[in-house]
Amino acid sequence: MSSAENTAAAAAGEPGLAQRLGERRGAALALALGALVFIIGMIVPLFGARWVNDVIAVIAAGFAVHGALSLYDVQQRAPQWYLLSLVVVTGFLAIAYHSGLSPTDAGGLAFSLGDALSSGAGSWTQMTINGLAMGLLIFIMASGMTLTFGLMGVLNLGHSAFITIGAYVLMTFLVSDWGRGLSGAESVVANVGLLALVVLVALVIAGVVGLLFERLIVKPVYDNHLKQILVTVGGGIIITQLIIAISGPNEVQLNQPATLSGSFIVGPVVVETFRLVAVAVGAAIFWGMLRVINRTKVGILIRAGVQSTEMVEAMGYRIKMLFIAVFMAGSALAAVGGVFWGLYDTLIHPEIGGLRLFQIIIVIIIGGLGSITGCFFGALLLGLLSNYVGFVAPEVAEFSSIALMVAVLMWRPQGLIPVIRM
Amino acid sequence: MFDTILSGDYPKSKVLNTVLLAIFFGLALGPFLFDGAVAFSTITNICIFIVLVASYDILLGYTHIVSLAHTMFYGIGAYAVAIAMNSMGPSWGSMFVGVIGGVLVAAVIALLVGLLSLRVKALFFALVTLAVAVGFGILISKFYAITGGEQGLGFRPPRELGPGFKLFEERWYGFNALGWLWNLVTDPGNLGENTKQAVFDVRMSGRIVLYYVIFLTTVGLFLLMLRMMNSPFGRVLKAVRENEFRAEALGYRTVMFRTINVVIAGAIAALAGAMAAMSDPWVTPDSYLSLGVMVNILLMCVIGGMGTLYGAMVGATIFILAETYLKDFMEVAYDLTAGFFNALPEWLSWLSFIHELISPDRWYFWMGLLFVLSVYFFPAGVVGQFRAKELESQIADSEEGASRTEPA
């Protein structure tokens, strides 16, 4: 259905639920069928093996949620919200179902609604917080890559090296004597101050390296995608090897700053403090980026540049300066992401950025190459989905992100929020 | 005759001819020319990587398809052989089952990946393949019951290919030509002694048989790829590379051609993986599926020269020799400069990271640098550079000739 028809339908007044049920028989059927199977599975777990019940419950729940969302056309109107709510609600149902199932003495399986609601809701809340934290951290790391692609058409596969830079700046500070003192002190001011300093230094270093990278490595190959891929891979190798030469090849275990580590308990939920910090920082950065892009002159130029660089140049702006600025900002953001990922992971090693590249790429593909909002939703989806799946079926958790990417690509080959210039 | 063997696609440069002939004969007589286990595994690796890089070149060089999942196909070949040999015992039958199975699986997966993502642009394909390859690596690590997980999977090759098997009872001799030449230069007076030293024993074990199986497969596959790229099929691929829109307008189904190419490249990479597994029967995710291997393939392909196939030969040889022997040179340089860097005053001690860059563990840094520089300054790689030189001199010759015959 085209968007014009949608607007027409909206103008004619929102139809009521009864009318929708009549019009969208397929969606209503999916909702009813999914709910039916799910409820049957709740009353009588049909199969002996727990995972078979889980799989059926997940499929049924997904079907039902899809049906409910389709009743309101969410799929067409806002694919990102459709997918997010599909994952979150199905995740809740699946986790609740998984928690409610327990083996009986007779050797079968029994479902208890009480268990499902109490322990399932707790687990779900926890997984949601974890997923948000992970997703937002990945968003910070991925946003620079998607922005440089959207604006300059440069796919920077060396982006992960900037993450490593951030992580190593963090490490350098935290293992130094006074850094250890500040980070070990039970004082929020000392901890946050240290962290702020680390972020500042990481921003500056990554910004400068980003400037050099753009001038020396990317600039000569702006109009050649093949060479870009090759050259940025090479540049990434060079930066990573330089980091190793400066900081040594060994893994380093870090301690999180005293007041930001540990966890506290709210009802059935164990919340790690640092995850909340990560959520707050990630949300703040996303908000800040949106502000900059939507409300400032630079933001207008960036958005205009994404659509047509020639036009921006024709208006008399120096697009090259914009390119440099965005590249530096993207690299700096990657380093900030690296700082927080380093704190989150606590194990710093030269491959810390390279290992994230996989998730970053999935996120920017899901979101639609070049789209900040898409990247944000992609990151949330990836974080939430891998945590939910990790709770229900840890074996396939890491594979879930690939499945997500394949599904999104089959559905919308350009990603959730396609950018015009592709 | 050469026309038929090389499909009319000559190296087109005298220097290059010499280099390629040297590589060919070095590999053909390898076990009898280079002494020692390191040298033996080096020439085996060169053979395997020539196939692997050449199969990557028909994607990257001939069609400009940037696939970052080539290691996945390489790994599929290796794992298929390892799994088959492990579950069916060390026999020729299970080896063939493994090889054929690996090639088929690789072809099917390549077809799926191709169909899923070749319709989109080059960059997207690179990203999707990268994600799929990493996912495959994770999958291999997770299913440790079948694949051995991170630890890897070991197996016993058929007896005839193992070190315990004796092909001939009598002793065979090799001649360490490089060592002999080196001694000839450094110590010319001692010719007799020197010559005696250069002769070494070659055990005609199953390893030699395996080496020649690999070598002949390499030659066969290389010539096959040469043939393919010089056939009408290859020409269509080049047309797609140069101008996809136009190729489509001429009536070629470009998506089909590209997909077939991806499938063929995947199948050949699986063969290379199978050979690699046979030569070193311990298959780990790290040595087959890691991103590092993928980047190495890219490096070899670009340094050697994209879109020439001969570039794969040169690139693989240069890279693997560097991987094996550059470290030795760097070690010497590292030790030589140690005094200088240790003597630096306190306020200059931060310079020691430069010293660290010369350390043999950092050889990859120089490879990265070489890679970036070669993309900028020799985008056609070593082979392209030689060809351009040859062309220049030919033009100069013909101009000279033309000016001489011209009436004054």
Side-chain angles (χ1 to χ4, degrees), chain A residues 149 155 157 216-218 220-221 225-227 229-231 233-235 237-238 241-242 244-246 357-358 361-362 365 369 395 398-399 402 405 409-410 413 422, chain B residues 60 64 66 68 116 120-121 123-124 126-128 130-132 134-136 138-139 142 295 298 302 306 353 356-357 361-362 364-365 368-369 371-372 375-376 379:
Chain A
F149 182 82
L155 186 74
L157 286 182
L216 297 177
I217 296 197
V218 185
V221 290
H225 279 319
L226 178 68
K227 282 190 182 176
I229 292 180
L230 302 177
V231 158
V233 167
I237 294 177
I238 293 177
Q241 292 291 322
L242 277 173
I244 300 177
I246 295 171
L357 190 62
F358 159 63
I361 284 175
I362 289 188
I365 290 181
L369 276 172
E395 303 83 20
E398 289 181 85
F399 211 62
I402 298 252
M405 182 190 76
L409 276 184
M410 303 233 277
M422 260 299 287
Chain B
L60 182 70
H64 280 192
V66 188
L68 296 176
L116 181 73
V120 290
K121 291 215 168 168
L123 284 177
F124 230 58
L127 293 181
V128 172
L130 180 58
V132 170
V134 176
F136 183 78
I138 293 170
L139 203 64
K142 291 278 167 187
V295 174
L298 255 180
V302 172
M306 290 184 287
F353 88 88
E356 211 43 55
L357 279 181
D361 293 335
R362 295 285 78 76
Y364 211 59
F365 170 81
L369 204 60
F371 179 64
V372 172
V375 171
Y376 285 150

Coordinates of all heavy atoms in Angstrom, one line a residue, chain A residues 149 155 157 216-218 220-221 225-227 229-231 233-235 237-238 241-242 244-246 357-358 361-362 365 369 395 398-399 402 405 409-410 413 422, chain B residues 60 64 66 68 116 120-121 123-124 126-128 130-132 134-136 138-139 142 295 298 302 306 353 356-357 361-362 364-365 368-369 371-372 375-376 379:
Chain A
F149 N 29.1 7.2 5.7 CA 28.6 6.6 4.4 C 27.6 7.4 3.8 O 27.6 7.7 2.6 CB 28.1 5.1 4.7 CG 27.7 4.5 3.4 CD1 28.6 4.0 2.6 CD2 26.4 4.6 3.0 CE1 28.2 3.5 1.3 CE2 26.0 4.1 1.8 CZ 26.9 3.5 1.0
L155 N 32.6 3.9 2.7 CA 32.4 2.8 3.6 C 33.7 2.6 4.3 O 34.6 2.0 3.8 CB 31.9 1.6 2.9 CG 31.6 0.5 3.8 CD1 30.2 0.8 4.5 CD2 31.5 -0.8 3.1
L157 N 35.8 0.6 6.5 CA 36.0 -0.6 7.2 C 37.1 -0.5 8.2 O 37.3 -1.5 9.0 CB 36.3 -1.8 6.2 CG 35.1 -2.2 5.4 CD1 35.5 -3.4 4.5 CD2 34.0 -2.7 6.3
L216 N 44.9 11.3 4.5 CA 45.9 10.5 3.9 C 45.4 9.3 3.2 O 45.9 8.8 2.2 CB 47.0 10.0 5.0 CG 47.7 11.1 5.7 CD1 48.6 10.6 6.7 CD2 48.6 11.9 4.6
I217 N 44.3 8.7 3.8 CA 43.9 7.4 3.3 C 42.6 7.4 2.5 O 42.6 6.8 1.4 CB 43.8 6.4 4.5 CG1 45.2 6.2 5.1 CG2 43.2 5.1 4.1 CD1 45.3 5.1 6.0
V218 N 41.6 8.2 3.0 CA 40.4 8.1 2.3 C 40.3 9.1 1.1 O 39.7 8.8 0.1 CB 39.2 8.3 3.3 CG1 37.9 8.1 2.6 CG2 39.3 7.4 4.4
P220 N 42.1 10.3 -1.3 CA 42.5 10.1 -2.7 C 41.5 9.1 -3.4 O 41.6 9.0 -4.6 CB 43.9 9.4 -2.6 CG 44.4 9.8 -1.2 CD 43.2 9.9 -0.4
V221 N 40.7 8.5 -2.7 CA 39.8 7.5 -3.3 C 38.4 7.7 -3.1 O 37.6 6.8 -3.1 CB 40.2 6.0 -2.9 CG1 41.5 5.6 -3.3 CG2 40.1 5.9 -1.3
H225 N 34.6 3.0 -5.0 CA 34.2 2.2 -3.8 C 35.1 1.0 -3.6 O 35.4 0.7 -2.4 CB 32.8 1.6 -4.1 CG 31.7 2.6 -3.8 ND1 31.7 3.4 -2.7 CD2 30.6 2.9 -4.4 CE1 30.7 4.2 -2.7 NE2 29.9 3.9 -3.7
L226 N 35.6 0.4 -4.7 CA 36.4 -0.8 -4.5 C 37.7 -0.4 -3.8 O 38.1 -1.0 -2.8 CB 36.8 -1.4 -5.9 CG 37.7 -2.5 -5.9 CD1 37.0 -3.7 -5.2 CD2 38.1 -2.9 -7.3
K227 N 38.3 0.7 -4.2 CA 39.6 1.1 -3.6 C 39.3 1.6 -2.1 O 40.1 1.3 -1.3 CB 40.2 2.3 -4.4 CG 40.9 1.8 -5.6 CD 41.7 3.0 -6.2 CE 42.4 2.5 -7.4 NZ 43.1 3.7 -8.0
I229 N 37.2 0.3 0.0 CA 37.1 -0.9 0.8 C 38.5 -1.3 1.1 O 38.9 -1.6 2.3 CB 36.3 -2.0 0.2 CG1 34.8 -1.6 0.1 CG2 36.4 -3.3 1.0 CD1 33.9 -2.6 -0.5
L230 N 39.3 -1.5 0.1 CA 40.7 -2.0 0.2 C 41.5 -1.1 1.1 O 42.1 -1.5 2.1 CB 41.4 -2.1 -1.1 CG 40.7 -3.0 -2.1 CD1 41.4 -3.0 -3.5 CD2 40.6 -4.4 -1.6
V231 N 41.5 0.2 0.8 CA 42.3 1.2 1.5 C 41.9 1.3 3.0 O 42.8 1.4 3.9 CB 42.3 2.5 0.8 CG1 42.6 3.6 1.7 CG2 43.1 2.5 -0.4
V233 N 40.5 -1.0 4.8 CA 40.9 -2.2 5.5 C 42.4 -2.1 5.9 O 42.8 -2.3 7.0 CB 40.7 -3.4 4.6 CG1 41.5 -4.6 5.2 CG2 39.2 -3.8 4.6
G234 N 43.2 -1.6 4.9 CA 44.7 -1.4 5.2 C 44.9 -0.4 6.2 O 45.7 -0.6 7.1
G235 N 44.2 0.7 6.2 CA 44.3 1.8 7.2 C 44.0 1.2 8.6 O 44.7 1.5 9.6
I237 N 44.3 -1.8 9.6 CA 45.5 -2.7 10.0 C 46.6 -1.8 10.6 O 47.1 -2.1 11.6 CB 46.0 -3.5 8.8 CG1 45.0 -4.5 8.4 CG2 47.3 -4.2 9.2 CD1 45.4 -5.3 7.1
I238 N 46.9 -0.7 9.8 CA 48.0 0.1 10.3 C 47.7 0.7 11.7 O 48.6 0.7 12.6 CB 48.2 1.3 9.2 CG1 48.7 0.6 7.9 CG2 49.2 2.3 9.8 CD1 48.9 1.6 6.8
Q241 N 47.9 -2.0 14.4 CA 49.3 -2.4 14.6 C 50.1 -1.3 15.4 O 50.9 -1.6 16.2 CB 50.0 -2.8 13.3 CG 49.5 -4.0 12.6 CD 49.8 -5.2 13.4 OE1 50.9 -5.4 14.0 NE2 48.8 -6.2 13.4
L242 N 49.8 0.0 15.0 CA 50.4 1.1 15.8 C 50.0 1.0 17.2 O 50.9 1.2 18.1 CB 50.1 2.4 15.2 CG 50.9 2.8 13.9 CD1 50.3 4.1 13.3 CD2 52.3 3.1 14.4
I244 N 49.2 -1.6 18.9 CA 49.9 -2.7 19.6 C 51.3 -2.3 19.8 O 51.9 -2.6 20.9 CB 49.8 -3.9 18.7 CG1 48.4 -4.4 18.5 CG2 50.6 -5.1 19.4 CD1 48.3 -5.6 17.6
A245 N 52.0 -1.6 18.8 CA 53.4 -1.2 19.0 C 53.5 -0.3 20.2 O 54.5 -0.3 20.9 CB 53.9 -0.6 17.8
I246 N 52.5 0.6 20.4 CA 52.6 1.5 21.5 C 52.2 0.9 22.9 O 52.9 1.1 23.9 CB 51.7 2.8 21.2 CG1 52.3 3.5 20.0 CG2 51.7 3.7 22.4 CD1 51.4 4.6 19.5
L357 N 33.0 -5.1 14.7 CA 32.7 -4.6 13.4 C 31.5 -5.4 12.8 O 30.6 -4.9 12.1 CB 33.9 -4.8 12.5 CG 33.8 -4.2 11.1 CD1 33.7 -2.8 11.2 CD2 35.0 -4.6 10.3
F358 N 31.4 -6.7 13.2 CA 30.4 -7.6 12.7 C 29.0 -7.0 13.1 O 28.1 -6.8 12.3 CB 30.6 -8.9 13.3 CG 29.5 -9.9 13.4 CD1 28.8 -10.3 12.2 CD2 29.1 -10.3 14.6 CE1 27.8 -11.2 12.3 CE2 28.0 -11.2 14.7 CZ 27.4 -11.6 13.5
I361 N 28.2 -3.6 11.4 CA 27.8 -3.7 10.0 C 26.3 -4.2 9.9 O 25.5 -3.7 9.2 CB 28.7 -4.7 9.3 CG1 30.0 -4.0 9.0 CG2 28.1 -5.2 8.0 CD1 31.1 -4.8 8.4
I362 N 26.0 -5.2 10.8 CA 24.6 -5.7 10.8 C 23.7 -4.5 11.1 O 22.6 -4.3 10.4 CB 24.4 -6.8 11.7 CG1 25.1 -8.0 11.2 CG2 23.0 -7.1 12.0 CD1 24.9 -9.3 11.9
I365 N 23.3 -2.0 8.3 CA 22.6 -2.6 7.1 C 21.1 -2.6 7.5 O 20.2 -2.3 6.7 CB 23.1 -4.0 6.8 CG1 24.4 -4.0 6.2 CG2 22.1 -4.7 5.8 CD1 25.0 -5.3 5.8
L369 N 21.8 1.9 5.2 CA 23.1 2.6 5.1 C 22.9 4.1 5.1 O 22.2 4.6 4.2 CB 23.9 2.1 3.9 CG 24.6 0.9 4.1 CD1 25.2 0.4 2.8 CD2 25.7 1.0 5.1
E395 N 22.4 -21.0 22.9 CA 23.3 -21.6 21.9 C 23.2 -20.8 20.6 O 24.1 -20.7 19.8 CB 22.8 -23.0 21.6 CG 22.8 -24.0 22.7 CD 21.5 -23.8 23.6 OE1 20.5 -23.3 23.0 OE2 21.6 -24.2 24.7
E398 N 24.2 -15.7 19.3 CA 25.0 -14.9 18.4 C 24.5 -15.0 16.9 O 24.8 -14.1 16.1 CB 26.4 -15.3 18.5 CG 27.0 -14.9 19.8 CD 28.5 -15.2 20.0 OE1 29.3 -14.5 19.5 OE2 28.7 -16.3 20.5
F399 N 23.8 -16.1 16.7 CA 23.3 -16.3 15.3 C 22.1 -15.5 15.0 O 21.7 -15.2 13.9 CB 23.1 -17.7 15.1 CG 23.3 -18.1 13.7 CD1 24.6 -18.0 13.1 CD2 22.3 -18.6 12.9 CE1 24.8 -18.3 11.8 CE2 22.6 -19.0 11.6 CZ 23.8 -18.8 11.0
I402 N 22.4 -12.4 12.7 CA 22.4 -12.7 11.3 C 21.1 -13.0 10.7 O 20.7 -12.5 9.7 CB 23.3 -14.0 11.0 CG1 24.7 -13.7 11.5 CG2 23.2 -14.4 9.6 CD1 25.7 -13.5 10.4
M405 N 19.3 -9.9 10.3 CA 19.7 -9.1 9.1 C 19.1 -9.7 7.8 O 18.6 -9.0 7.0 CB 21.2 -9.1 9.0 CG 21.7 -8.3 7.8 SD 23.5 -8.6 7.6 CE 23.5 -10.2 6.8
L409 N 16.6 -7.9 5.3 CA 17.0 -7.7 3.9 C 16.0 -8.2 2.9 O 15.8 -7.7 1.9 CB 18.4 -8.3 3.7 CG 19.6 -7.4 4.0 CD1 20.9 -8.1 3.7 CD2 19.5 -6.1 3.4
M410 N 15.4 -9.4 3.3 CA 14.4 -10.0 2.4 C 13.2 -9.1 2.4 O 12.5 -9.0 1.3 CB 14.1 -11.4 2.9 CG 15.3 -12.3 3.0 SD 15.1 -13.8 2.1 CE 14.3 -14.8 3.3
P413 N 15.1 -4.6 1.2 CA 16.5 -4.7 0.8 C 17.3 -3.4 1.1 O 18.5 -3.5 1.2 CB 16.4 -4.9 -0.7 CG 15.0 -5.4 -1.0 CD 14.2 -4.9 0.1
M422 N 21.3 6.0 -2.7 CA 22.0 4.7 -2.5 C 22.7 4.3 -3.7 O 22.2 4.1 -4.8 CB 20.9 3.7 -2.1 CG 20.8 3.4 -0.7 SD 22.3 2.8 0.0 CE 22.3 1.1 -0.6
Chain B
L60 N 37.0 -10.6 -7.5 CA 37.4 -9.2 -7.2 C 38.0 -8.5 -8.5 O 37.6 -7.4 -8.9 CB 38.5 -9.1 -6.1 CG 38.9 -7.7 -5.7 CD1 37.8 -7.0 -5.0 CD2 40.2 -7.9 -4.8
H64 N 34.9 -7.2 -10.1 CA 34.7 -6.2 -9.1 C 33.6 -6.5 -8.1 O 32.9 -5.6 -7.7 CB 34.5 -4.8 -9.7 CG 35.7 -4.2 -10.2 ND1 35.8 -2.9 -10.6 CD2 36.9 -4.7 -10.4 CE1 37.0 -2.6 -11.0 NE2 37.7 -3.7 -10.9
V66 N 33.2 -7.4 -4.5 CA 33.9 -7.5 -3.2 C 33.2 -8.4 -2.3 O 32.3 -8.1 -1.6 CB 34.1 -6.1 -2.6 CG1 35.1 -6.2 -1.4 CG2 34.6 -5.1 -3.6
L68 N 33.5 -10.7 1.1 CA 34.4 -10.8 2.2 C 34.1 -12.2 2.9 O 34.4 -12.4 4.0 CB 34.2 -9.7 3.2 CG 34.6 -8.3 2.7 CD1 34.3 -7.2 3.6 CD2 36.1 -8.4 2.4
L116 N 20.8 -13.8 -2.7 CA 20.2 -12.9 -1.7 C 20.7 -11.5 -1.9 O 20.0 -10.6 -1.7 CB 20.7 -13.4 -0.3 CG 20.1 -12.6 0.8 CD1 18.7 -12.8 1.0 CD2 20.9 -12.9 2.1
V120 N 21.9 -6.2 -5.1 CA 22.2 -4.9 -4.5 C 23.6 -4.5 -4.9 O 24.4 -5.2 -5.5 CB 22.1 -4.9 -3.0 CG1 20.6 -5.0 -2.7 CG2 22.9 -6.0 -2.4
K121 N 24.0 -3.3 -4.5 CA 25.2 -2.7 -4.9 C 26.4 -3.3 -4.3 O 26.3 -4.1 -3.3 CB 25.2 -1.2 -4.6 CG 24.2 -0.5 -5.5 CD 24.7 0.9 -5.9 CE 23.9 1.5 -6.9 NZ 24.2 2.9 -7.1
L123 N 28.9 -2.4 -2.4 CA 29.2 -2.2 -1.0 C 28.3 -3.1 -0.1 O 28.8 -3.7 0.8 CB 28.9 -0.7 -0.6 CG 29.9 0.2 -1.1 CD1 29.5 1.6 -0.7 CD2 31.2 -0.1 -0.5
F124 N 27.0 -3.1 -0.5 CA 26.1 -3.9 0.3 C 26.5 -5.4 0.2 O 26.5 -6.1 1.3 CB 24.7 -3.8 -0.4 CG 23.7 -3.5 0.6 CD1 23.8 -2.3 1.4 CD2 22.6 -4.3 0.8 CE1 22.8 -2.0 2.3 CE2 21.6 -4.0 1.7 CZ 21.7 -2.9 2.5
A126 N 29.5 -6.5 -0.1 CA 30.7 -6.7 0.8 C 30.2 -6.8 2.3 O 30.7 -7.7 3.0 CB 31.6 -5.5 0.7
L127 N 29.3 -6.0 2.7 CA 28.8 -6.0 4.1 C 28.1 -7.3 4.4 O 28.3 -7.9 5.4 CB 27.9 -4.8 4.3 CG 28.7 -3.4 4.3 CD1 27.7 -2.3 4.6 CD2 29.8 -3.4 5.2
V128 N 27.2 -7.6 3.5 CA 26.4 -8.8 3.7 C 27.3 -10.1 3.8 O 27.2 -10.9 4.7 CB 25.3 -9.0 2.7 CG1 24.7 -10.4 2.8 CG2 24.3 -7.9 2.7
L130 N 30.4 -10.2 4.6 CA 31.2 -10.1 5.8 C 30.4 -10.6 7.0 O 30.8 -11.5 7.8 CB 31.6 -8.7 6.1 CG 32.5 -8.4 7.3 CD1 33.7 -9.3 7.3 CD2 32.8 -7.0 7.5
A131 N 29.1 -10.1 7.1 CA 28.3 -10.6 8.2 C 28.0 -12.1 8.2 O 28.1 -12.8 9.2 CB 27.0 -9.8 8.2
V132 N 27.7 -12.6 6.9 CA 27.5 -14.0 6.8 C 28.7 -14.8 7.2 O 28.6 -15.8 7.9 CB 27.1 -14.3 5.4 CG1 27.0 -15.8 5.1 CG2 25.7 -13.8 5.1
V134 N 31.2 -14.0 9.2 CA 31.4 -14.0 10.7 C 30.4 -14.9 11.4 O 30.7 -15.7 12.3 CB 31.3 -12.6 11.2 CG1 31.5 -12.6 12.7 CG2 32.4 -11.7 10.6
G135 N 29.2 -14.8 10.9 CA 28.1 -15.7 11.5 C 28.5 -17.2 11.3 O 28.3 -18.0 12.2
F136 N 29.0 -17.5 10.1 CA 29.4 -18.9 9.9 C 30.5 -19.3 10.8 O 30.5 -20.4 11.4 CB 29.9 -19.0 8.4 CG 30.3 -20.4 8.1 CD1 29.3 -21.3 7.8 CD2 31.6 -20.8 8.0 CE1 29.6 -22.6 7.4 CE2 31.9 -22.1 7.7 CZ 31.0 -23.0 7.4
I138 N 31.0 -18.2 13.8 CA 30.4 -18.4 15.1 C 29.7 -19.7 15.2 O 29.8 -20.5 16.1 CB 29.3 -17.2 15.4 CG1 30.1 -15.9 15.6 CG2 28.5 -17.5 16.6 CD1 29.2 -14.7 15.6
L139 N 29.0 -20.0 14.1 CA 28.3 -21.3 14.0 C 29.2 -22.5 14.2 O 28.9 -23.4 14.9 CB 27.6 -21.4 12.6 CG 26.4 -22.3 12.5 CD1 25.3 -21.8 13.4 CD2 25.9 -22.4 11.1
K142 N 30.2 -22.8 17.7 CA 29.2 -23.3 18.6 C 28.9 -24.8 18.5 O 28.6 -25.4 19.5 CB 27.9 -22.5 18.3 CG 27.9 -21.1 18.7 CD 27.7 -20.9 20.1 CE 28.1 -19.5 20.5 NZ 28.1 -19.2 21.9
V295 N 41.6 -10.9 5.1 CA 42.4 -9.7 4.8 C 43.7 -10.1 4.0 O 44.1 -9.5 3.1 CB 42.7 -8.9 6.0 CG1 43.6 -7.8 5.7 CG2 41.4 -8.4 6.6
L298 N 42.9 -10.7 0.5 CA 42.8 -9.4 -0.2 C 44.1 -8.8 -0.5 O 44.4 -8.3 -1.6 CB 42.0 -8.4 0.8 CG 40.6 -8.1 0.5 CD1 40.1 -7.1 1.6 CD2 40.5 -7.4 -0.8
V302 N 45.6 -7.9 -4.2 CA 45.9 -6.6 -4.6 C 47.3 -6.3 -4.9 O 47.7 -5.7 -5.9 CB 45.3 -5.6 -3.6 CG1 45.8 -4.2 -3.9 CG2 43.9 -5.7 -3.5
M306 N 45.2 -7.2 -9.5 CA 43.9 -7.7 -9.6 C 43.6 -8.0 -11.1 O 44.1 -7.3 -12.0 CB 42.9 -6.7 -9.1 CG 42.9 -6.6 -7.6 SD 41.6 -5.5 -7.0 CE 42.3 -3.9 -7.5
F353 N 58.6 3.2 20.6 CA 57.6 2.4 19.8 C 57.9 2.2 18.4 O 57.5 1.3 17.7 CB 56.2 3.1 20.0 CG 55.9 4.2 19.0 CD1 55.3 3.9 17.8 CD2 56.3 5.5 19.2 CE1 55.0 4.9 16.9 CE2 56.0 6.5 18.3 CZ 55.4 6.2 17.1
E356 N 59.6 -0.8 18.4 CA 58.6 -1.9 18.5 C 58.0 -2.2 17.1 O 57.7 -3.4 16.8 CB 57.5 -1.4 19.4 CG 56.8 -2.4 20.3 CD 57.8 -3.4 20.8 OE1 58.7 -3.1 21.5 OE2 57.5 -4.6 20.6
L357 N 58.0 -1.2 16.3 CA 57.4 -1.5 14.9 C 58.3 -2.3 14.1 O 57.9 -3.0 13.1 CB 57.2 -0.1 14.2 CG 55.9 0.6 14.6 CD1 55.8 1.9 13.7 CD2 54.7 -0.2 14.3
D361 N 57.1 -9.3 15.4 CA 55.7 -9.5 15.5 C 54.8 -8.5 14.8 O 53.6 -8.6 14.6 CB 55.3 -9.4 17.0 CG 55.9 -10.6 17.8 OD1 56.1 -11.6 17.1 OD2 56.1 -10.5 19.0
R362 N 55.5 -7.4 14.4 CA 54.7 -6.3 13.8 C 54.9 -6.3 12.3 O 54.7 -5.3 11.6 CB 55.2 -4.9 14.3 CG 55.0 -4.6 15.8 CD 53.6 -4.3 16.0 NE 52.7 -5.5 16.1 CZ 52.7 -6.4 17.1 NH1 53.4 -6.2 18.1 NH2 51.9 -7.4 17.0
Y364 N 53.0 -7.4 10.2 CA 51.7 -7.1 9.6 C 51.5 -5.6 9.4 O 50.8 -5.2 8.4 CB 50.6 -7.7 10.5 CG 49.4 -8.1 9.8 CD1 49.5 -9.1 8.9 CD2 48.2 -7.6 10.1 CE1 48.4 -9.5 8.2 CE2 47.0 -8.0 9.4 CZ 47.2 -9.0 8.4 OH 46.1 -9.4 7.7
F365 N 52.1 -4.8 10.2 CA 52.0 -3.4 10.0 C 52.6 -3.0 8.7 O 52.0 -2.2 7.9 CB 52.8 -2.7 11.1 CG 53.0 -1.2 10.9 CD1 52.0 -0.3 11.2 CD2 54.2 -0.7 10.4 CE1 52.2 1.0 11.0 CE2 54.4 0.6 10.2 CZ 53.4 1.5 10.5
G368 N 50.3 -4.0 5.9 CA 49.2 -3.0 5.8 C 49.7 -1.8 5.0 O 49.0 -1.3 4.1
L369 N 50.8 -1.3 5.4 CA 51.4 -0.1 4.7 C 51.6 -0.4 3.2 O 51.2 0.4 2.4 CB 52.7 0.2 5.4 CG 53.1 1.7 5.3 CD1 52.1 2.6 5.9 CD2 54.5 1.9 6.0
F371 N 50.2 -2.5 1.5 CA 48.8 -2.7 0.9 C 48.3 -1.3 0.5 O 47.9 -1.1 -0.7 CB 47.9 -3.4 1.9 CG 46.5 -3.6 1.5 CD1 46.3 -4.5 0.4 CD2 45.5 -3.0 2.1 CE1 45.0 -4.7 0.0 CE2 44.2 -3.3 1.7 CZ 43.9 -4.1 0.7
V372 N 48.2 -0.4 1.4 CA 47.7 0.9 1.1 C 48.5 1.6 0.0 O 47.9 2.1 -0.9 CB 47.7 1.8 2.4 CG1 47.3 3.2 2.1 CG2 46.8 1.2 3.4
V375 N 47.7 0.1 -3.3 CA 46.4 0.5 -3.9 C 46.5 1.9 -4.5 O 46.0 2.1 -5.6 CB 45.3 0.5 -2.8 CG1 44.0 1.1 -3.3 CG2 45.0 -0.9 -2.3
Y376 N 47.3 2.8 -3.9 CA 47.4 4.1 -4.4 C 48.3 4.1 -5.7 O 47.9 4.7 -6.7 CB 48.0 5.0 -3.4 CG 47.1 5.4 -2.3 CD1 47.5 5.7 -1.0 CD2 45.7 5.5 -2.6 CE1 46.6 6.1 -0.1 CE2 44.8 5.9 -1.7 CZ 45.3 6.1 -0.4 OH 44.4 6.5 0.6
P379 N 47.9 0.4 -8.6 CA 46.6 -0.2 -8.4 C 46.5 -1.5 -9.2 O 45.7 -2.3 -9.0 CB 45.6 0.9 -8.9 CG 46.4 1.9 -9.6 CD 47.8 1.8 -9.1

